[in-house]
Amino acid sequence: QVQLVESGGDLVQPGGSLRLSCAASGIFFNMYDMCWYRQAPGKQREWVAIITSSGGTNYADSVKGRFTISRDNAKSTVYLQMSSLKPEDTAVYYCNANSLVKNYWGQGTQVTVSS
């Protein structure tokens, strides 16, 4: 059974930092590209960042320079380090595991940026 379990979401003040984690099980983690997406209230889910199976990274323009995605293959875990958070970063953040033939989602973790 495949599971992606996100954690680390919280209420944080503008300018603050958070680190999200996504622990995967039931997949050959090393073979998957891992992404973070987010969905704000009333908006469509949007892509945030990717780290490929080979370690390459890319980011949405809205988070570039503030967010860092990383992975620990030994722990089957992907991270999203978020800094200089803004109210517009408020959303449910979802982890996604993607290979050529399979695509899996986590249940999401809430990030709220507010004073």
Side-chain angles (χ1 to χ4, degrees), residues 15-18 38 46 48 59-69 80-90 93 113:
S17 298
L18 276 178
R38 66 186 181 186
E46 65 171 354
V48 174
Y59 300 90
D61 287 344
S62 59
V63 307
K64 200 169 291 184
R66 300 188 298 122
F67 290 11
T68 301
I69 190 170
L80 187 67
Q81 179 67 49
M82 307 185 293
S83 60
S84 302
L85 283 162
K86 306 174 182 180
E88 51 264 43
D89 294 317
T90 295
Y93 283 72
V113 184

Side-chain angles (χ1 to χ4, degrees), residues 6-71:
E6 300 99 332
S7 60
D10 205 346
L11 170 64
V12 62
Q13 292 188 342
S17 298
L18 276 178
R19 189 177 82 156
L20 305 182
S21 300
C22 171
S25 60
I27 60 172
F28 290 105
F29 183 79
N30 298 22
M31 297 177 62
Y32 282 75
D33 295 341
M34 300 299 297
C35 293
W36 286 97
Y37 287 75
R38 66 186 181 186
Q39 188 166 18
K43 295 188 176 181
Q44 289 190 331
R45 190 172 298 189
E46 65 171 354
W47 171 77
V48 174
I50 184 172
I51 184 164
T52 68
S53 57
S54 58
T57 60
N58 200 10
Y59 300 90
D61 287 344
S62 59
V63 307
K64 200 169 291 184
R66 300 188 298 122
F67 290 11
T68 301
I69 190 170
S70 61
R71 65 192 296 161

